[in-house]
Amino acid sequence: MSAVGESLGPKRIAVCVGSGGVGKTTVAAAIALRGALQGKKALVCTIDPAHRLASALGLAALGNKEAVVPEEMLRQAGLTLPPGGSLHAMMLDVKHTWDELIARHAPDPERRRRILENRLYQQMSRALAGSHEYMAMEKLYELATERDYGLIVLDTPPTAHALDFLDAPHRVLDFLGDESLRILGPALAAGRIGMKLLHLGGTYAARALARFTGAETLNELAALLQAFEGMYDGFKARAAAVRELMGQSQVGFVVVASPQPMSVDEALFFHRTLTEEGMTVAGLVVNRATGPLWPESAPLPEGVELARAAGEGSADLWGRVALTVAEQQRIARAERAEIARLFAVPGTPRVILARLESDVHDLGGLAVVASRV
Ligand SMILES: Nc1ncnc2c1ncn2[C@@H]1O[C@H](COP(=O)(O)OP(=O)(O)OP(=O)(O)O)[C@@H](O)[C@H]1O
Ligand SMILES: [Mg+2]
């Protein structure tokens, strides 16, 4: 097992973070599968999985609900789970998670209805910046505190900075909070919103509002803030509990990166921020590396060598083969330099995953990743 696998072993919660497209969803699903193969009741909470991966996990139409991956599907992929092992999957539905959260906090059905039917709320719960991150954390908290999974793996949206991720609940809540109501409430009531909005200047609330234009927006905002009155403290307390959970030793963050300069920069930033915030980085994963496949001294694949030795192919062909090999080795050299830069971080378990021949879209592919991560 890799060092990352070992460090995740005792954790109950793994959170895969990293920049866009590096393999967070793939690695998250693979870690959950490995847990199931080790006899755990394991769940992966995915975000926007590729369509084929979603079907491979039996998620085609299930949305926000957890569903067990049928044993028959696992068997077809050659996988047998030991007693106690089961693999569950779900897709995070941001809007639905917001609605559940409102239902949880609303003091009465009327208040709940006023919020759920508010048009600004409906837009906000789909499109507000940070909303996705906030709901991912919220769902994780719910799963961790109310279900009996032995392992929960959270996939995350492609966020550029770890701090955005950790601060999203507070930023979103501040927008809905007492301060916005204090500034905007009286002005909204008196129809003098224009001047007051100027006071918001470049704040998060102003930027958030700018996304939702339209004649009725301000009235909707007034109604939403009023409906939220008194609920804010409950939300805030829960967000604090989520953050507290993130710092517990049962939680391990897995920072996924590709061996490219920008991705490594972002991974280093994630690592630094998470560590500074008191979170445990349980592993660094470099995914889709060319490097390990093409070390400087790599011989040509055996079949190619035999063909050349047998005098097959023209000089032109072998010239082109040599160019291709040199190009691959150049890429591998550049990747190795980036990997070394990332792995200069002391102490954190790490693993390099080679680029597989095809995308990872089925349980068989996930099993290959699971055996290496
Ligand atoms: N080791 C690998 N070898 C080959 N293909 C891979 C590997 N890891 C991931 N992929 C493929 O790369 C693509 C992106 O992976 P994935 O969806 O897991 O990334 P992501 O970080 O979740 O992306 P996003 O930020 O958009 O959510 C997918 O098609 C996946 O199958
Ligand atoms: Mg993803």
Side-chain angles (χ1 to χ4, degrees), residues 18-27 47-50 53 155-159 256 287-289 353-361 369:
S19 42
V22 292
K24 297 177 294 295
T25 304
T26 308
V27 169
I47 293 182
D48 287 338
L53 180 64
D155 174 25
T156 60
T159 308
V256 186
N287 188 28
R288 280 191 301 200
L353 297 178
R355 178 191 300 275
L356 301 178
E357 278 180 24
S358 64
D359 278 358
V360 185
H361 280 154
V369 178

Side-chain angles (χ1 to χ4, degrees), residues 163-242:
L163 258 188
D164 283 354
F165 199 86
L166 295 170
D167 283 349
H170 291 286
R171 274 187 300 128
V172 174
L173 286 179
D174 283 348
F175 172 50
L176 292 172
D178 298 343
E179 188 67 0
S180 294
L181 189 64
R182 197 179 59 73
I183 298 176
L184 292 174
L188 285 164
R192 286 186 292 103
I193 188 70
M195 284 302 292
K196 288 290 176 181
L197 268 186
L198 285 180
H199 291 313
L200 288 177
T203 61
Y204 178 76
R207 276 181 285 129
L209 264 184
R211 294 180 55 132
F212 307 111
T213 50
E216 281 168 61
T217 298
L218 295 176
N219 290 336
E220 296 284 332
L221 175 64
L224 181 61
L225 292 179
Q226 271 147 19
F228 247 85
E229 206 175 357
M231 286 169 60
Y232 180 70
D233 287 345
F235 270 78
K236 204 82 183 174
R238 194 160 164 104
V242 173

Side-chain angles (χ1 to χ4, degrees), residues 41 48 114 139 154 194 206 226 241 251 259 323 350 363 366:
K41 179 175 175 183
D48 287 338
R114 269 167 53 203
K139 186 49 99 181
L154 181 72
Q226 271 147 19
V251 180
L323 275 179
R350 68 264 334 254
L363 288 167
L366 276 185

Side-chain angles (χ1 to χ4, degrees), residues 259-262 264 333-343:
Q260 266 79 50
M262 260 179 64
V264 167
R333 224 175 4 252
E335 290 188 358
R336 274 199 297 275
E338 289 308 315
I339 295 169
R341 205 158 64 82
L342 178 61
F343 286 0

Side-chain angles (χ1 to χ4, degrees), residues 20-368:
V22 292
K24 297 177 294 295
T25 304
T26 308
V27 169
I31 290 172
L33 173 60
R34 198 203 23 231
L37 289 165
Q38 289 169 341
K40 293 180 188 165
K41 179 175 175 183
L43 168 75
V44 58
C45 177
T46 65
I47 293 182
D48 287 338
H51 185 72
R52 280 175 55 205
L53 180 64
S55 344
L57 292 170
L59 281 178
L62 285 162
N64 220 31
K65 291 264 176 301
E66 305 141 61
V68 66
V69 180
E71 274 196 35
E72 181 53 30
M73 278 169 61
L74 290 161
R75 242 197 319 276
Q76 278 168 11
L79 302 167
T80 313
L81 302 185
S86 59
L87 179 62
H88 306 249
M90 65 172 288
M91 274 189 260
L92 180 77
D93 177 335
V94 176
K95 167 92 178 76
H96 203 271
T97 308
W98 262 112
D99 292 354
E100 286 172 350
L101 193 61
I102 298 292
R104 196 184 282 270
H105 286 279
D108 55 68
E110 164 58 17
R111 192 84 84 83
R112 175 183 163 187
R113 189 191 57 75
R114 269 167 53 203
I115 295 176
L116 294 188
E117 289 180 2
N118 184 285
R119 287 202 3 239
L120 187 63
Y121 165 78
Q122 289 170 1
Q123 286 181 306
M124 188 195 83
S125 55
R126 287 197 184 91
L128 188 66
S131 192
H132 225 110
E133 287 86 346
Y134 180 12
M135 287 306 111
M137 299 303 240
E138 170 57 33
K139 186 49 99 181
L140 177 64
Y141 185 76
E142 181 196 321
L143 293 165
T145 52
E146 296 175 17
R147 307 283 203 285
D148 67 344
Y149 291 107
L151 173 67
I152 300 171
V153 191
L154 181 72
D155 174 25
T156 60
T159 308
H161 300 300
L163 258 188
D164 283 354
F165 199 86
L166 295 170
D167 283 349
H170 291 286
R171 274 187 300 128
V172 174
L173 286 179
D174 283 348
F175 172 50
L176 292 172
D178 298 343
E179 188 67 0
S180 294
L181 189 64
R182 197 179 59 73
I183 298 176
L184 292 174
L188 285 164
R192 286 186 292 103
I193 188 70
M195 284 302 292
K196 288 290 176 181
L197 268 186
L198 285 180
H199 291 313
L200 288 177
T203 61
Y204 178 76
R207 276 181 285 129
L209 264 184
R211 294 180 55 132
F212 307 111
T213 50
E216 281 168 61
T217 298
L218 295 176
N219 290 336
E220 296 284 332
L221 175 64
L224 181 61
L225 292 179
Q226 271 147 19
F228 247 85
E229 206 175 357
M231 286 169 60
Y232 180 70
D233 287 345
F235 270 78
K236 204 82 183 174
R238 194 160 164 104
V242 173
R243 186 148 176 155
E244 203 269 324
L245 171 73
M246 289 297 140
Q248 288 177 9
S249 61
Q250 60 169 324
V251 180
F253 282 80
V254 177
V255 178
V256 186
S258 67
Q260 266 79 50
M262 260 179 64
S263 178
V264 167
D265 284 345
E266 285 179 4
L268 286 168
F269 184 78
F270 265 82
H271 185 279
R272 195 172 57 241
T273 317
L274 288 167
T275 310
E276 281 168 7
E277 295 288 321
M279 319 278 157
T280 306
V281 180
L284 293 169
V285 176
V286 174
N287 188 28
R288 280 191 301 200
T290 308
L293 300 178
W294 289 94
E296 217 73 52
S297 57
L300 288 173
E302 196 184 352
V304 179
E305 277 299 1
L306 287 175
R308 183 161 65 173
E312 288 174 23
S314 62
D316 177 49
L317 173 70
W318 291 114
R320 278 184 283 142
V321 169
L323 275 179
T324 305
V325 170
E327 172 66 6
Q328 289 297 318
Q329 284 177 331
R330 191 190 61 72
I331 294 171
R333 224 175 4 252
E335 290 188 358
R336 274 199 297 275
E338 289 308 315
I339 295 169
R341 205 158 64 82
L342 178 61
F343 286 0
V345 167
T348 310
R350 68 264 334 254
V351 66
I352 301 172
L353 297 178
R355 178 191 300 275
L356 301 178
E357 278 180 24
S358 64
D359 278 358
V360 185
H361 280 154
D362 56 21
L363 288 167
L366 276 185
V368 173

